[in-house]
Amino acid sequence: MEKMRLDKYLTQTAGLSRSEAKQYLKKGRVCVDGQIIKKPETKIDAGQAAVTVDGRLCHYEKYTYLMLHKPQGVVSATEDDRERTVLDLIGEPVRGLFPVGRLDKDTEGLLLLTNDGALAHDLLSPKKHVDKCYFAILDGPVGKAEQEAFACGLDIGDEKRTLPAKLVPLPQETAEPGQPQKAESIVDAKRPAQAESVADSEGFGVLITVQEGRFHQIKRMAKAVGREVLYLKRLSMGSLRLDAALRPGEYRPLTEEEIESLKRSRKETAKEE
Ligand code: URA
């Protein structure tokens, strides 16, 4: 049983602020299991109680998890005075929703949005070693020396070197103009072309897997081995892979399986510590 104050429940299910919830309660607009309740501090069983506001039934889900295919040109913030944010792409308002980690304005790909702070914390914590895999197009080739440098952890100007990371060069033709989809097809044979924005750039496709989420991490790691990132897309985070059916700007709720799998992978890595 999950006991919760009624005013808090209303903020999570009816899109009301705490003070609006109190006003609604005071005016007798809220029923719990058929009875008008006026006291905001009343504790209810959030998973079981039938709560209505003006006769409309509230639907309680503890947390929301959305997979967004972040497009280029929007910032990974909850609000911004000048720029469009990833939350502006979400049709329905969800209280407390935030992006799990940041992708740069010019980066696209998988972005998880949730209001589950504990899961978000674990997915981002370097201590939990959750893999984040990126497809990048670099301005020049990389080989064994760069791979080894990534595997050792790089000095990118922070106090600490990065954790060991994986760099996998892809066959060069995968990053030819107009052919970026070939690189992705190596990651997932079923993945259709998605990186249209890279079509006219020349470069060298790589996969990079890191277990942290430092500011501009991939770009700074590439720079540390003398390369520039021309294009960047996140493909996966832990067990969660970008749904190939989502076009840039589209999103969908995670399935129960995806949520459970993400949570499990976090526990398994935690156990190993
Ligand atoms: N690393 C970067 O440099 N940019 C991103 O958006 C994500 C990881």
Side-chain angles (χ1 to χ4, degrees):
M1 185 193 286
E2 194 186 344
K3 286 276 184 193
M4 187 184 284
R5 277 178 62 117
L6 185 51
D7 54 353
K8 183 173 180 198
Y9 177 96
L10 293 171
T11 65
Q12 292 191 8
T13 60
L16 302 176
S17 66
R18 257 308 155 106
S19 59
E20 285 168 341
K22 286 187 176 133
Q23 285 301 317
Y24 274 56
L25 286 159
K26 204 168 158 188
K27 289 182 179 156
R29 296 168 70 174
V30 179
C31 284
V32 179
D33 295 331
Q35 273 197 312
I36 292 177
I37 305 285
K38 295 196 168 184
K39 288 191 175 149
E41 67 274 19
T42 307
K43 288 274 174 68
I44 62 161
D45 179 354
Q48 293 295 319
V51 180
T52 57
V53 176
D54 295 338
R56 276 196 302 273
L57 191 62
C58 298
H59 181 63
Y60 176 76
E61 273 176 22
K62 192 166 181 193
Y63 295 120
T64 299
Y65 304 91
L66 301 177
M67 176 194 296
L68 169 71
H69 185 163
K70 179 194 172 295
Q72 292 180 325
V74 297
V75 296
S76 301
T78 50
E79 53 186 10
D80 194 284
D81 289 343
R82 277 167 297 172
E83 307 274 7
R84 272 184 95 208
T85 74
V86 288
L87 285 195
D88 293 330
L89 301 171
I90 307 303
E92 69 274 27
V94 181
R95 195 159 283 272
L97 200 67
F98 60 89
V100 177
R102 286 173 183 253
L103 292 180
D104 298 335
K105 189 174 168 188
D106 61 355
T107 301
E108 57 186 21
L110 174 67
L111 190 62
L112 174 64
L113 302 169
T114 187
N115 41 18
D116 180 347
L119 180 63
H121 172 270
D122 283 357
L123 292 174
L124 295 175
S125 165
K127 289 188 191 148
K128 303 285 181 189
H129 301 288
V130 176
D131 282 344
K132 288 102 191 165
C133 179
Y134 294 83
F135 167 67
I137 293 186
L138 306 179
D139 66 345
V142 283
K144 240 187 156 39
E146 289 80 8
Q147 280 181 287
E148 279 166 12
F150 268 64
C152 286
L154 288 165
D155 179 356
I156 58 172
D158 291 344
E159 210 173 296
K160 281 191 183 165
R161 294 163 83 85
T162 67
L163 288 176
K166 205 162 141 192
L167 170 68
V168 179
L170 298 170
Q172 208 201 319
E173 70 272 16
T174 59
E176 271 179 8
Q179 304 273 326
Q181 69 275 24
K182 280 197 191 165
E184 300 206 336
S185 69
I186 290 169
V187 188
D188 180 344
K190 293 188 289 298
R191 190 182 297 281
Q194 287 178 329
E196 294 91 4
S197 60
V198 96
D200 42 19
S201 64
E202 305 222 1
F204 296 76
V206 294
L207 293 179
I208 297 175
T209 306
V210 296
Q211 296 185 333
E212 301 159 285
R214 299 194 201 180
F215 183 63
H216 294 330
Q217 181 161 352
I218 302 291
K219 291 172 186 165
R220 289 158 72 206
M221 289 176 88
K223 206 167 186 119
V225 297
R227 293 288 168 229
E228 203 72 43
V229 172
L230 302 177
Y231 168 81
L232 190 58
K233 176 177 187 173
R234 184 155 63 196
L235 302 177
S236 65
M237 182 183 236
S239 58
L240 192 64
R241 298 178 67 123
L242 180 63
D243 184 337
L246 291 177
R247 285 182 309 219
E250 292 182 342
Y251 68 94
R252 66 157 172 82
L254 260 56
T255 63
E256 284 299 320
E257 263 176 27
E258 285 170 333
I259 296 168
E260 285 315 308
S261 171
L262 255 188
K263 290 183 177 174
R264 257 199 321 275
S265 66
R266 162 188 73 158
K267 280 185 204 136
E268 277 157 17
T269 22
K271 250 191 269 160
E272 282 164 20
E273 287 174 336

